[in-house]
Amino acid sequence: MSDSKLAGQFFDAAIGLLERVRDEESGSIAAAGAAIADTVAAGGRLFAFGAGHSSLAAQDVVYRAGGLALMNLLAVPGTVGVDVMPATLGSALERVDGLASAVLDSSPARSGDLLVIISLSGRNALPVEMAQNARALGLTVVGVTSVAYTTGTKSRHASGGFLRDHCDIVLDSKIAIGDAELATEGVETPFAPASTVVTSALMQAMMATAAEELVARGIEPPLLRSGNVDGGHEWNGRVMREYGDRIFYRH
C-alpha cells in the first residue's frame, strides 16, 4: 500500500501552523505563562474552559501527567463535548445569553484567579460573556482563539464583540475560518481540521512557560506525575495534599 498523499499534506499543514504559532505567538505565550505563574505564586487558582471541540484542549491540561495540578476544568453542562444528546444541543447552548454568568456565579472562581478560555471562533455568546464576567469578578483572562474569525465572520454576541476583545492576553491559533486544512477532487467540502493539534500545543507551551517562570522564582511547580510510573501515586498524593484547597476536580 502506498503512503497517503493527503496524510502527508495534513502533517505538513499542521507543522506549518505549529511553526507559525511558535514564532509569531512567542510573546503572548510568555505573557500567559507569566500570568499563570503570578497566580500560582499569589495563592490563586487556575481554570480552563472550552465549549464543543474547544473543550478538548481545556481537558488536556486538567489532571494530566506532566501538567500543573492546580488547573481545574470550568465545565458548562451540555457544552463539554459530544456526550450530550443530541450533539447539536451543545452548539445551541453556546449561543444562550446569561449561561456564562450563571456558571461563574456557582463556581469557586474568585478575584485573583486565572481563567483560560478556548474558543476557535470566539464569536458565540458563551465564551464572550464568560470573558466579560470573569474579568468583572477580578480574574485574569487568557483567550486562545483564531483572530481570523474576527475579520471574516460576525459576532453572535449582543455587544458585537469577540472573545479576543475581552481578554487580558490573547493567543492566536492562526486557524483559518472553517477549520479544515485539506481539499481534494471528489470531495465537495474541505476537511481535516487542525485546531485541536495547534490549540493543545499552545496550551502546553503556555504551561511549560509557567513552570519555567515558577522555577525562576524559586517555587517548585506543582506538577503531576504519571500514575503508571513507580512512585507516581505517592508523588501526586503529596501534591494534592499540599494544594488541596486549590484543586476542585477531586472533591
Side-chain angles (χ1 to χ4, degrees), residues 166-192:
H166 303 284
C167 298
D168 298 289
I169 302 164
V170 175
L171 278 64
D172 181 7
S173 64
K174 317 291 183 182
I175 300 293
I177 295 172
D179 191 19
E181 296 301 320
L182 301 183
T184 191
E185 187 177 349
V187 180
E188 295 187 9
T189 184
F191 57 101

Side-chain angles (χ1 to χ4, degrees), residues 78-131:
T79 70
V80 174
V82 294
D83 56 333
V84 63
M85 294 292 287
T88 50
L89 176 61
S91 299
L93 288 172
E94 292 185 58
R95 305 176 192 180
V96 174
D97 294 333
L99 182 56
S101 60
V103 169
L104 277 171
D105 288 346
S106 61
S107 79
R110 65 190 184 193
S111 179
D113 293 345
L114 180 143
L115 171 61
V116 182
I117 300 177
I118 306 163
S119 175
L120 180 62
S121 73
R123 67 190 297 224
N124 289 312
L126 184 55
V128 175
E129 287 186 0
M130 190 73 77

Side-chain angles (χ1 to χ4, degrees), residues 20-44:
R20 280 192 67 195
V21 296
R22 179 196 64 194
D23 298 341
E24 298 173 20
E25 296 301 300
S26 58
S28 296
I29 292 168
I36 291 171
D38 288 342
T39 304
V40 172

Side-chain angles (χ1 to χ4, degrees), residues 5 34 66 72 101 122 130 138 146 157 161 164 181 187 204 218 226:
K5 173 183 158 186
N72 301 276
S101 60
M130 190 73 77
S146 171
H157 187 248
R164 68 167 297 187
E181 296 301 320
V187 180
Q204 295 297 347
S226 171

Side-chain angles (χ1 to χ4, degrees), residues 12-246:
D12 288 344
I15 290 167
L17 285 162
L18 289 169
E19 289 177 339
R20 280 192 67 195
V21 296
R22 179 196 64 194
D23 298 341
E24 298 173 20
E25 296 301 300
S26 58
S28 296
I29 292 168
I36 291 171
D38 288 342
T39 304
V40 172
R45 291 86 61 80
L46 306 174
F47 298 90
F49 164 76
H53 285 92
S54 290
S55 72
L56 295 174
Q59 294 177 59
D60 193 46
V61 294
V62 177
Y63 187 51
R64 183 68 193 260
L68 285 176
L70 305 191
M71 184 58 80
N72 301 276
L73 186 68
L74 185 65
V76 177
T79 70
V80 174
V82 294
D83 56 333
V84 63
M85 294 292 287
T88 50
L89 176 61
S91 299
L93 288 172
E94 292 185 58
R95 305 176 192 180
V96 174
D97 294 333
L99 182 56
S101 60
V103 169
L104 277 171
D105 288 346
S106 61
S107 79
R110 65 190 184 193
S111 179
D113 293 345
L114 180 143
L115 171 61
V116 182
I117 300 177
I118 306 163
S119 175
L120 180 62
S121 73
R123 67 190 297 224
N124 289 312
L126 184 55
V128 175
E129 287 186 0
M130 190 73 77
Q132 285 181 321
N133 293 343
R135 288 179 90 187
L137 287 172
L139 278 75
T140 298
V141 175
V142 177
V144 185
T145 187
S146 171
V147 172
Y149 279 82
T150 64
T151 57
T153 68
K154 291 184 178 180
S155 170
R156 290 181 175 138
H157 187 248
S159 69
F162 288 77
L163 170 61
R164 68 167 297 187
D165 300 319
H166 303 284
C167 298
D168 298 289
I169 302 164
V170 175
L171 278 64
D172 181 7
S173 64
K174 317 291 183 182
I175 300 293
I177 295 172
D179 191 19
E181 296 301 320
L182 301 183
T184 191
E185 187 177 349
V187 180
E188 295 187 9
T189 184
F191 57 101
S195 61
T196 304
V197 173
V198 178
T199 303
S200 291
L202 279 169
M203 294 293 289
Q204 295 297 347
M206 182 197 320
M207 304 303 280
T209 303
E212 183 179 32
E213 282 277 334
L214 287 167
V215 170
R217 302 177 195 193
I219 300 171
E220 180 188 356
L223 296 166
L224 295 173
R225 287 184 176 177
S226 171
N228 296 313
V229 300
D230 292 342
H233 286 297
E234 292 76 12
W235 173 278
N236 293 342
R238 176 185 65 81
V239 171
M240 288 187 178
R241 284 192 301 273
E242 188 172 342
Y243 292 95
D245 59 334
R246 296 152 78 178

